[in-house]
Amino acid sequence: NSHGGILHPSFFLSRVGGDSSLSTKSIDDMADDQDVPEACPGVGSERAGKEDACQGCPNRSACADGSAKKQAETDAQKVAARLKDVRHVVLVLSGKGGVGKSTFSAQLAYALASQDKEVGLLDVDICGPSIPTMLGLEGQEVHQSNLGWSPVYVDDNLGVMSIGFLLNNKDEAVVWRGPRKNSLIKQFLQDVDWAELDYLVVDTPPGTSDEHISLAQLLHATDCVDGAVVVSTPQDVAVNDVRKELDFCKKVGLRVLGVVENMAGLQMPWEACRIMDPHTGKDRTGELKHALTKVDPSLLSSVVCTDVFSPGSRGVLGMCEEAKAPYLGKIPLDPAVCVHADQGVPSHGPAALALQHITTKLMGILEGTAEDHEDHRNGAAQ
């Protein structure tokens, strides 16, 4: 619609294949949705379509005759053209789910926008899009004009795009295989009209799968990405998986801008705590408050701190030292962040203060390389 209007889910799905209910019907019937061999040499390889692993792949002929490579180059050119006015693209990654990656992405976008920067937030967590909720945008719709898809705006300088805006029913599962996810990600990168941005933050799902490979390939080929911020929590069960994410970045040539240690200790105001008798379950908060008032009333303004997740053998900092990855800092587990994320507003408190320090450090890293990055991008475009 060159004259503009709401982008309905049925239109969107017609572009990536499928019906408006996002059911699995017809997915198994689509040739491109069949499993690509694990040992795929890649469309850019001279052996594309010719290896033993290519036998039975639905894309074999396209790879063998070079048309797949040409299509990949065309896609990269379209992405480069769309993002030419975006100064910095930052991916937010983690090898582990549940580490607060989307919360970090949302609050990072808020923090950057508070610095009077033009900011975009792209949510490519196809199966679990939580960004609309965290930005207070549930129920909003995407509009299309002759310039492309228009982001949904929180403020004049903070725009958002997510599959969450394109679903008929927010409670319905998106059951898609890799190729359809890849098609949507490619469409987000090619069709969303961000205009001029200082920062584009890309929130990704956990892991090192299809979404991450598609992003890395498209953005790396266009020199449109500055790097990734990797999020972890302190315990070994998270750190061990995040190590794999750092290895993924190394393998695909994605710069690690830094690692954030999230949920690093619980911090909350004393007045928000309840003190319970461990044997009887009796609430003794009032008694303790009365006793502390007699000793020193200023104690009641203290902040309670504890480590909810015990650091592992070497912890996040040790992992960064081993991987030679910058350590951006730690963010405490702050109940206020949970409340504000559900409300879709910027957070404030201990976690917000820590995030502001990390944001300042990240901006310094990005702005410090801005000149070199622009020279590289301009040279690649010539």
Side-chain angles (χ1 to χ4, degrees):
N1 183 355
S2 61
H3 300 291
I6 296 174
L7 189 62
H8 292 287
S10 57
F11 171 82
F12 147 71
L13 286 163
S14 70
R15 298 287 297 276
V16 298
D19 56 38
S20 58
S21 66
L22 293 178
S23 71
T24 57
K25 181 181 178 181
S26 81
I27 294 179
D28 294 325
D29 298 329
M30 297 176 62
D32 289 342
D33 281 358
Q34 296 179 32
D35 291 336
V36 174
E38 186 175 347
C40 172
V43 298
S45 169
E46 293 182 357
R47 301 296 302 166
K50 303 173 184 176
E51 295 285 358
D52 291 340
C54 300
Q55 299 293 329
C57 176
N59 302 316
R60 180 187 178 190
S61 60
C63 289
D65 65 17
S67 58
K69 181 178 180 180
K70 290 179 181 178
Q71 182 60 52
E73 292 172 348
T74 300
D75 290 339
Q77 290 170 0
K78 290 180 179 178
V79 173
R82 178 60 77 180
L83 299 181
K84 65 182 178 62
D85 293 323
V86 178
R87 294 185 62 218
H88 300 293
V89 179
V90 177
L91 307 185
V92 179
L93 306 175
S94 181
K96 189 69 175 176
V99 299
K101 177 176 44 51
S102 292
T103 303
F104 173 80
S105 297
Q107 296 301 320
L108 174 63
Y110 273 130
L112 290 169
S114 72
Q115 301 292 318
D116 294 325
K117 302 296 184 181
E118 296 292 330
V119 182
L121 176 55
L122 175 58
D123 179 9
V124 298
D125 192 342
I126 309 301
C127 297
S130 53
I131 290 299
T133 299
M134 294 182 177
L135 275 293
L137 298 173
E138 280 192 313
Q140 297 294 312
E141 297 175 316
V142 174
H143 289 72
Q144 183 193 26
S145 72
N146 58 342
L147 297 177
W149 295 5
S150 298
V152 177
Y153 282 89
V154 183
D155 292 307
D156 289 341
N157 65 330
L158 176 53
V160 181
M161 180 56 67
S162 169
I163 190 178
F165 300 136
L166 301 167
L167 300 177
N168 283 320
N169 181 357
K170 70 174 184 177
D171 296 325
E172 191 166 3
V174 178
V175 188
W176 284 2
R177 289 180 174 172
R180 296 186 76 194
K181 294 180 181 179
N182 298 343
S183 294
L184 175 59
I185 290 172
K186 182 170 65 176
Q187 195 166 0
F188 275 159
L189 293 174
Q190 292 179 355
D191 291 356
V192 177
D193 178 31
W194 296 105
E196 293 187 10
L197 289 181
D198 294 303
Y199 298 96
L200 176 59
V201 179
V202 184
D203 181 44
T204 68
T208 57
S209 191
D210 296 288
E211 296 93 330
H212 312 83
I213 296 171
S214 294
L215 281 168
Q217 288 178 336
L218 280 169
L219 293 174
H220 189 68
T222 61
D223 193 40
C224 287
V225 62
D226 291 81
V229 173
V230 181
V231 181
S232 181
T233 46
Q235 74 277 33
D236 275 346
V237 71
V239 171
N240 290 341
D241 283 344
V242 173
R243 280 196 180 93
K244 299 180 179 68
E245 196 74 41
L246 295 177
D247 183 59
F248 167 83
C249 291
K250 181 178 179 181
K251 287 179 176 177
V252 300
L254 182 62
R255 178 189 178 193
V256 176
L257 299 169
V259 178
V260 172
E261 185 176 6
N262 199 24
M263 307 185 198
L266 172 66
Q267 291 188 24
M268 58 190 301
W270 157 259
E271 62 184 15
C273 296
R274 287 191 302 156
I275 309 301
M276 309 296 293
D277 186 306
H279 303 292
T280 66
K282 179 183 177 182
D283 189 334
R284 306 193 64 180
T285 307
E287 297 174 51
L288 186 56
K289 186 179 293 187
H290 181 70
L292 289 175
T293 302
K294 287 184 176 181
V295 177
D296 183 355
S298 67
L299 291 173
L300 296 177
S301 62
S302 301
V303 175
V304 177
C305 303
T306 185
D307 287 328
V308 177
F309 301 110
S310 299
S313 55
R314 297 220 48 199
V316 176
L317 186 57
M319 175 188 67
C320 290
E321 292 172 350
E322 293 171 4
K324 294 181 174 56
Y327 179 75
L328 292 177
K330 58 177 63 177
I331 301 175
L333 183 62
D334 183 354
V337 173
C338 302
V339 174
H340 295 146
D342 286 343
Q343 294 174 344
V345 298
S347 189
H348 52 79
L353 182 61
L355 179 64
Q356 193 60 59
H357 290 316
I358 289 173
T359 302
T360 301
K361 187 180 293 187
L362 179 61
M363 289 175 65
I365 293 172
L366 292 170
E367 299 300 334
T369 60
E371 184 175 346
D372 292 339
H373 180 79
E374 289 300 324
D375 288 345
H376 190 169
R377 183 182 292 191
N378 291 336
Q382 292 174 359

